[in-house]
mmCIF file of all heavy atoms in Angstrom:
data_model
loop_
_atom_site.group_PDB
_atom_site.id
_atom_site.type_symbol
_atom_site.label_atom_id
_atom_site.label_comp_id
_atom_site.label_asym_id
_atom_site.label_seq_id
_atom_site.Cartn_x
_atom_site.Cartn_y
_atom_site.Cartn_z
ATOM 1 N N LEU A 323 16.438 -22.804 25.030
ATOM 2 C CA LEU A 323 17.861 -23.051 25.262
ATOM 3 C C LEU A 323 18.582 -22.874 23.943
ATOM 4 O O LEU A 323 18.239 -23.524 22.948
ATOM 5 C CB LEU A 323 18.114 -24.460 25.791
ATOM 6 C CG LEU A 323 17.706 -24.784 27.230
ATOM 7 C CD1 LEU A 323 16.195 -24.925 27.344
ATOM 8 C CD2 LEU A 323 18.363 -26.088 27.664
ATOM 9 N N LEU A 324 19.584 -22.013 23.917
ATOM 10 C CA LEU A 324 20.242 -21.648 22.668
ATOM 11 C C LEU A 324 21.749 -21.582 22.864
ATOM 12 O O LEU A 324 22.229 -21.038 23.856
ATOM 13 C CB LEU A 324 19.719 -20.277 22.221
ATOM 14 C CG LEU A 324 20.333 -19.618 20.991
ATOM 15 C CD1 LEU A 324 20.038 -20.437 19.743
ATOM 16 C CD2 LEU A 324 19.801 -18.204 20.834
ATOM 17 N N GLY A 325 22.501 -22.144 21.922
ATOM 18 C CA GLY A 325 23.953 -22.067 22.014
ATOM 19 C C GLY A 325 24.627 -22.694 20.808
ATOM 20 O O GLY A 325 23.961 -23.140 19.862
ATOM 21 N N ARG A 326 25.945 -22.704 20.814
ATOM 22 C CA ARG A 326 26.672 -23.437 19.766
ATOM 23 C C ARG A 326 26.330 -24.914 19.865
ATOM 24 O O ARG A 326 26.191 -25.611 18.856
ATOM 25 C CB ARG A 326 28.178 -23.231 19.934
ATOM 26 C CG ARG A 326 28.645 -21.790 19.795
ATOM 27 C CD ARG A 326 28.477 -21.264 18.385
ATOM 28 N NE ARG A 326 28.903 -19.869 18.275
ATOM 29 C CZ ARG A 326 28.717 -19.125 17.204
ATOM 30 N NH1 ARG A 326 28.100 -19.623 16.140
ATOM 31 N NH2 ARG A 326 29.121 -17.875 17.161
ATOM 32 N N GLN A 327 26.195 -25.384 21.098
ATOM 33 C CA GLN A 327 25.724 -26.729 21.382
ATOM 34 C C GLN A 327 24.795 -26.663 22.584
ATOM 35 O O GLN A 327 25.022 -25.870 23.497
ATOM 36 C CB GLN A 327 26.882 -27.669 21.707
ATOM 37 C CG GLN A 327 27.791 -28.021 20.545
ATOM 38 C CD GLN A 327 28.861 -29.010 20.975
ATOM 39 O OE1 GLN A 327 29.380 -28.942 22.079
ATOM 40 N NE2 GLN A 327 29.168 -29.942 20.093
ATOM 41 N N VAL A 328 23.755 -27.485 22.590
ATOM 42 C CA VAL A 328 22.915 -27.647 23.772
ATOM 43 C C VAL A 328 23.135 -29.080 24.244
ATOM 44 O O VAL A 328 22.812 -30.032 23.543
ATOM 45 C CB VAL A 328 21.430 -27.383 23.464
ATOM 46 C CG1 VAL A 328 20.576 -27.691 24.692
ATOM 47 C CG2 VAL A 328 21.220 -25.933 23.042
ATOM 48 N N THR A 329 23.720 -29.224 25.417
ATOM 49 C CA THR A 329 24.135 -30.527 25.905
ATOM 50 C C THR A 329 23.118 -31.115 26.890
ATOM 51 O O THR A 329 22.200 -30.432 27.363
ATOM 52 C CB THR A 329 25.495 -30.426 26.612
ATOM 53 O OG1 THR A 329 25.327 -29.663 27.828
ATOM 54 C CG2 THR A 329 26.524 -29.738 25.723
ATOM 55 N N ALA A 330 23.329 -32.390 27.216
ATOM 56 C CA ALA A 330 22.484 -33.049 28.220
ATOM 57 C C ALA A 330 22.583 -32.325 29.559
ATOM 58 O O ALA A 330 21.587 -32.202 30.300
ATOM 59 C CB ALA A 330 22.909 -34.512 28.362
ATOM 60 N N ARG A 331 23.777 -31.815 29.890
ATOM 61 C CA ARG A 331 23.961 -31.079 31.141
ATOM 62 C C ARG A 331 23.089 -29.823 31.166
ATOM 63 O O ARG A 331 22.473 -29.494 32.176
ATOM 64 C CB ARG A 331 25.437 -30.705 31.317
ATOM 65 C CG ARG A 331 25.747 -30.008 32.642
ATOM 66 C CD ARG A 331 27.217 -29.583 32.704
ATOM 67 N NE ARG A 331 28.083 -30.735 32.654
ATOM 68 C CZ ARG A 331 28.418 -31.455 33.734
ATOM 69 N NH1 ARG A 331 27.934 -31.123 34.920
ATOM 70 N NH2 ARG A 331 29.232 -32.476 33.614
ATOM 71 N N HIS A 332 23.038 -29.101 30.041
ATOM 72 C CA HIS A 332 22.197 -27.910 29.971
ATOM 73 C C HIS A 332 20.725 -28.265 30.174
ATOM 74 O O HIS A 332 20.014 -27.609 30.953
ATOM 75 C CB HIS A 332 22.354 -27.227 28.603
ATOM 76 C CG HIS A 332 23.731 -26.707 28.348
ATOM 77 N ND1 HIS A 332 24.292 -26.716 27.090
ATOM 78 C CD2 HIS A 332 24.662 -26.171 29.177
ATOM 79 C CE1 HIS A 332 25.507 -26.191 27.166
ATOM 80 N NE2 HIS A 332 25.755 -25.860 28.419
ATOM 81 N N ILE A 333 20.261 -29.281 29.450
ATOM 82 C CA ILE A 333 18.847 -29.668 29.533
ATOM 83 C C ILE A 333 18.506 -30.164 30.927
ATOM 84 O O ILE A 333 17.452 -29.829 31.485
ATOM 85 C CB ILE A 333 18.519 -30.730 28.468
ATOM 86 C CG1 ILE A 333 18.720 -30.150 27.066
ATOM 87 C CG2 ILE A 333 17.089 -31.239 28.626
ATOM 88 C CD1 ILE A 333 18.620 -31.161 25.942
ATOM 89 N N ALA A 334 19.407 -30.959 31.518
ATOM 90 C CA ALA A 334 19.169 -31.460 32.877
ATOM 91 C C ALA A 334 19.065 -30.311 33.876
ATOM 92 O O ALA A 334 18.195 -30.304 34.759
ATOM 93 C CB ALA A 334 20.294 -32.414 33.275
ATOM 94 N N GLY A 335 19.944 -29.312 33.744
ATOM 95 C CA GLY A 335 19.917 -28.177 34.657
ATOM 96 C C GLY A 335 18.637 -27.376 34.553
ATOM 97 O O GLY A 335 18.032 -26.990 35.564
ATOM 98 N N VAL A 336 18.194 -27.119 33.305
ATOM 99 C CA VAL A 336 16.968 -26.339 33.098
ATOM 100 C C VAL A 336 15.744 -27.098 33.579
ATOM 101 O O VAL A 336 14.890 -26.546 34.278
ATOM 102 C CB VAL A 336 16.828 -25.956 31.610
ATOM 103 C CG1 VAL A 336 15.425 -25.411 31.323
ATOM 104 C CG2 VAL A 336 17.875 -24.924 31.222
ATOM 105 N N THR A 337 15.627 -28.364 33.226
ATOM 106 C CA THR A 337 14.436 -29.135 33.612
ATOM 107 C C THR A 337 14.363 -29.339 35.120
ATOM 108 O O THR A 337 13.275 -29.352 35.700
ATOM 109 C CB THR A 337 14.398 -30.487 32.880
ATOM 110 O OG1 THR A 337 15.638 -31.189 33.079
ATOM 111 C CG2 THR A 337 14.176 -30.299 31.389
ATOM 112 N N LYS A 338 15.516 -29.456 35.776
ATOM 113 C CA LYS A 338 15.513 -29.561 37.240
ATOM 114 C C LYS A 338 15.023 -28.255 37.865
ATOM 115 O O LYS A 338 14.203 -28.264 38.798
ATOM 116 C CB LYS A 338 16.916 -29.897 37.749
ATOM 117 C CG LYS A 338 16.989 -30.038 39.266
ATOM 118 C CD LYS A 338 18.402 -30.357 39.725
ATOM 119 C CE LYS A 338 18.455 -30.485 41.252
ATOM 120 N NZ LYS A 338 19.831 -30.750 41.738
ATOM 121 N N ALA A 339 15.513 -27.129 37.345
ATOM 122 C CA ALA A 339 15.080 -25.825 37.858
ATOM 123 C C ALA A 339 13.579 -25.617 37.654
ATOM 124 O O ALA A 339 12.888 -25.072 38.520
ATOM 125 C CB ALA A 339 15.867 -24.706 37.171
ATOM 126 N N VAL A 340 13.082 -26.066 36.519
ATOM 127 C CA VAL A 340 11.651 -25.958 36.210
ATOM 128 C C VAL A 340 10.831 -26.778 37.205
ATOM 129 O O VAL A 340 9.819 -26.303 37.752
ATOM 130 C CB VAL A 340 11.387 -26.440 34.766
ATOM 131 C CG1 VAL A 340 9.899 -26.700 34.542
ATOM 132 C CG2 VAL A 340 11.902 -25.413 33.767
ATOM 133 N N ALA A 341 11.251 -28.012 37.470
ATOM 134 C CA ALA A 341 10.530 -28.888 38.397
ATOM 135 C C ALA A 341 10.536 -28.315 39.807
ATOM 136 O O ALA A 341 9.522 -28.373 40.524
ATOM 137 C CB ALA A 341 11.145 -30.283 38.383
ATOM 138 N N GLU A 342 11.666 -27.730 40.203
ATOM 139 C CA GLU A 342 11.767 -27.165 41.553
ATOM 140 C C GLU A 342 10.818 -25.992 41.759
ATOM 141 O O GLU A 342 10.437 -25.687 42.901
ATOM 142 C CB GLU A 342 13.208 -26.725 41.822
ATOM 143 C CG GLU A 342 14.177 -27.889 42.012
ATOM 144 C CD GLU A 342 15.636 -27.442 42.083
ATOM 145 O OE1 GLU A 342 15.915 -26.257 41.764
ATOM 146 O OE2 GLU A 342 16.480 -28.278 42.437
ATOM 147 N N GLN A 343 10.422 -25.337 40.674
ATOM 148 C CA GLN A 343 9.503 -24.197 40.764
ATOM 149 C C GLN A 343 8.054 -24.596 40.516
ATOM 150 O O GLN A 343 7.186 -23.745 40.327
ATOM 151 C CB GLN A 343 9.924 -23.104 39.788
ATOM 152 C CG GLN A 343 11.231 -22.421 40.156
ATOM 153 C CD GLN A 343 11.203 -21.820 41.542
ATOM 154 O OE1 GLN A 343 10.233 -21.173 41.920
ATOM 155 N NE2 GLN A 343 12.255 -22.047 42.314
ATOM 156 N N GLY A 344 7.782 -25.890 40.506
ATOM 157 C CA GLY A 344 6.408 -26.364 40.394
ATOM 158 C C GLY A 344 5.814 -26.310 39.006
ATOM 159 O O GLY A 344 4.590 -26.358 38.841
ATOM 160 N N LEU A 345 6.669 -26.207 37.970
ATOM 161 C CA LEU A 345 6.182 -26.157 36.594
ATOM 162 C C LEU A 345 6.287 -27.529 35.953
ATOM 163 O O LEU A 345 7.223 -28.290 36.227
ATOM 164 C CB LEU A 345 6.988 -25.140 35.775
ATOM 165 C CG LEU A 345 6.968 -23.695 36.292
ATOM 166 C CD1 LEU A 345 7.897 -22.824 35.458
ATOM 167 C CD2 LEU A 345 5.557 -23.140 36.278
ATOM 168 N N ASN A 346 5.342 -27.835 35.081
ATOM 169 C CA ASN A 346 5.316 -29.121 34.395
ATOM 170 C C ASN A 346 5.568 -28.911 32.909
ATOM 171 O O ASN A 346 5.037 -27.983 32.298
ATOM 172 C CB ASN A 346 3.960 -29.806 34.589
ATOM 173 C CG ASN A 346 3.946 -31.203 34.022
ATOM 174 O OD1 ASN A 346 4.672 -32.078 34.495
ATOM 175 N ND2 ASN A 346 3.134 -31.428 33.005
ATOM 176 N N ILE A 347 6.399 -29.761 32.317
ATOM 177 C CA ILE A 347 6.721 -29.650 30.892
ATOM 178 C C ILE A 347 5.618 -30.303 30.060
ATOM 179 O O ILE A 347 5.334 -31.487 30.211
ATOM 180 C CB ILE A 347 8.077 -30.314 30.588
ATOM 181 C CG1 ILE A 347 9.191 -29.625 31.377
ATOM 182 C CG2 ILE A 347 8.369 -30.254 29.093
ATOM 183 C CD1 ILE A 347 10.528 -30.335 31.294
ATOM 184 N N ASP A 348 5.000 -29.512 29.174
ATOM 185 C CA ASP A 348 3.978 -30.026 28.265
ATOM 186 C C ASP A 348 4.586 -30.582 26.983
ATOM 187 O O ASP A 348 4.106 -31.579 26.438
ATOM 188 C CB ASP A 348 2.981 -28.917 27.876
ATOM 189 C CG ASP A 348 1.976 -28.637 28.979
ATOM 190 O OD1 ASP A 348 1.876 -29.464 29.908
ATOM 191 O OD2 ASP A 348 1.304 -27.593 28.913
ATOM 192 N N ALA A 349 5.626 -29.902 26.477
ATOM 193 C CA ALA A 349 6.197 -30.315 25.190
ATOM 194 C C ALA A 349 7.637 -29.833 25.091
ATOM 195 O O ALA A 349 8.005 -28.815 25.676
ATOM 196 C CB ALA A 349 5.375 -29.746 24.032
ATOM 197 N N ILE A 350 8.438 -30.594 24.353
ATOM 198 C CA ILE A 350 9.822 -30.220 24.046
ATOM 199 C C ILE A 350 10.026 -30.395 22.552
ATOM 200 O O ILE A 350 9.642 -31.429 21.990
ATOM 201 C CB ILE A 350 10.846 -31.101 24.797
ATOM 202 C CG1 ILE A 350 10.624 -31.015 26.314
ATOM 203 C CG2 ILE A 350 12.275 -30.684 24.452
ATOM 204 C CD1 ILE A 350 11.527 -31.943 27.109
ATOM 205 N N LYS A 351 10.604 -29.389 21.895
ATOM 206 C CA LYS A 351 10.884 -29.530 20.468
ATOM 207 C C LYS A 351 12.197 -28.870 20.112
ATOM 208 O O LYS A 351 12.650 -27.949 20.786
ATOM 209 C CB LYS A 351 9.746 -28.971 19.613
ATOM 210 C CG LYS A 351 9.462 -27.493 19.779
ATOM 211 C CD LYS A 351 8.254 -27.091 18.936
ATOM 212 C CE LYS A 351 7.889 -25.627 19.129
ATOM 213 N NZ LYS A 351 6.687 -25.250 18.357
ATOM 214 N N ARG A 352 12.804 -29.371 19.064
ATOM 215 C CA ARG A 352 14.060 -28.837 18.555
ATOM 216 C C ARG A 352 13.736 -27.832 17.457
ATOM 217 O O ARG A 352 13.008 -28.133 16.514
ATOM 218 C CB ARG A 352 14.910 -30.000 18.001
ATOM 219 C CG ARG A 352 16.157 -29.580 17.282
ATOM 220 C CD ARG A 352 16.967 -30.815 16.866
ATOM 221 N NE ARG A 352 16.143 -31.911 16.401
ATOM 222 C CZ ARG A 352 15.618 -32.020 15.175
ATOM 223 N NH1 ARG A 352 15.836 -31.060 14.299
ATOM 224 N NH2 ARG A 352 14.897 -33.054 14.835
ATOM 225 N N LEU A 353 14.288 -26.611 17.579
ATOM 226 C CA LEU A 353 14.034 -25.579 16.576
ATOM 227 C C LEU A 353 15.088 -25.558 15.482
ATOM 228 O O LEU A 353 14.820 -25.099 14.371
ATOM 229 C CB LEU A 353 13.954 -24.194 17.232
ATOM 230 C CG LEU A 353 12.845 -23.988 18.276
ATOM 231 C CD1 LEU A 353 12.794 -22.527 18.714
ATOM 232 C CD2 LEU A 353 11.494 -24.435 17.753
ATOM 233 N N THR A 354 16.296 -26.023 15.800
ATOM 234 C CA THR A 354 17.354 -26.081 14.792
ATOM 235 C C THR A 354 17.286 -27.405 14.043
ATOM 236 O O THR A 354 16.592 -28.339 14.449
ATOM 237 C CB THR A 354 18.737 -25.916 15.455
ATOM 238 O OG1 THR A 354 18.780 -26.671 16.667
ATOM 239 C CG2 THR A 354 19.016 -24.472 15.769
ATOM 240 N N GLY A 355 18.025 -27.485 12.929
ATOM 241 C CA GLY A 355 17.962 -28.647 12.056
ATOM 242 C C GLY A 355 18.506 -29.912 12.697
ATOM 243 O O GLY A 355 19.133 -29.892 13.758
ATOM 244 N N ARG A 356 18.269 -31.045 12.040
ATOM 245 C CA ARG A 356 18.767 -32.326 12.535
ATOM 246 C C ARG A 356 20.290 -32.341 12.534
ATOM 247 O O ARG A 356 20.924 -31.790 11.645
ATOM 248 C CB ARG A 356 18.218 -33.464 11.665
ATOM 249 C CG ARG A 356 16.703 -33.600 11.786
ATOM 250 C CD ARG A 356 16.145 -34.652 10.852
ATOM 251 N NE ARG A 356 14.701 -34.785 11.039
ATOM 252 C CZ ARG A 356 13.928 -35.554 10.284
ATOM 253 N NH1 ARG A 356 14.446 -36.266 9.304
ATOM 254 N NH2 ARG A 356 12.627 -35.623 10.530
#
Side-chain angles (χ1 to χ4, degrees):
L323 288 74
L324 175 65
R326 298 293 179 188
Q327 290 183 323
V328 175
T329 68
R331 184 184 297 275
H332 296 145
I333 297 172
V336 168
T337 53
K338 181 181 180 182
V340 165
E342 288 172 348
Q343 291 303 315
L345 301 175
N346 186 64
I347 299 172
D348 283 346
I350 302 175
K351 62 183 177 182
R352 172 176 39 81
L353 299 187
T354 42
R356 294 176 178 174

